[in-house]
Amino acid sequence: MSPLSAPLLKSANRITYGYFGADTPELKTLLKKILHDTDSKFLKWALIRMSGWDRKEKVENLFHIHGSADKLIPIVIVKPDIVIEGGGHLMVYAQADQISKILNDRLTTIHSAE
């Protein structure tokens, strides 16, 4: 995503619904609210930072969950620990139960190891 796409991403429409994976009326309503509340300057800043991200090594103690269908941050450019099949950019809402279980299992494992 180019920083020039910030104005396009600020409005809820077919394109933004597709990029964010908002495929239900509930997710579309949520996305509209998120986009409305997102500061344009912040959005442009975030797009610039994301497009220039060049970290080669994994951050210590990072546990990365990523969706296979995320169009904003395509899975081919990341190396997640867990892949949520069909998960889009809004998977924390759309697949909340699945992600919650993964996080609870991970936290239990960490706690047991201490």
Side-chain angles (χ1 to χ4, degrees):
M1 278 287 153
S2 161
L4 299 174
S5 60
L8 176 65
L9 289 177
K10 273 293 287 174
S11 64
N13 56 57
R14 219 169 42 128
I15 294 169
T16 54
Y17 292 149
Y19 268 109
F20 282 92
D23 55 1
T24 66
E26 295 81 13
L27 287 176
K28 289 176 180 179
T29 298
L30 175 66
L31 182 58
K32 283 180 191 177
K33 290 178 184 175
I34 291 171
L35 294 176
H36 178 267
D37 292 343
T38 300
D39 179 75
S40 294
K41 288 180 184 176
F42 168 77
L43 180 58
K44 188 173 181 180
W45 173 87
L47 291 170
I48 289 168
R49 295 301 176 258
M50 284 173 49
S51 64
W53 184 262
D54 192 29
R55 181 175 291 275
K56 299 290 186 229
E57 295 118 29
K58 184 175 178 177
V59 176
E60 188 178 343
N61 296 320
L62 175 76
F63 185 69
H64 182 178
I65 303 171
H66 203 85
S68 66
D70 191 326
K71 292 179 184 168
L72 282 180
I73 305 171
I75 193 142
V76 297
I77 65 170
V78 296
K79 294 179 180 139
D81 297 295
I82 298 280
V83 175
I84 304 295
E85 287 303 319
H89 206 70
L90 297 175
M91 69 180 185
V92 294
Y93 299 102
Q95 285 98 347
D97 291 341
Q98 185 179 1
I99 293 170
S100 189
K101 182 181 180 337
I102 291 167
L103 291 174
N104 283 325
D105 291 348
R106 177 70 178 178
L107 290 171
T108 300
T109 302
I110 292 168
H111 183 68
S112 297
E114 293 177 346

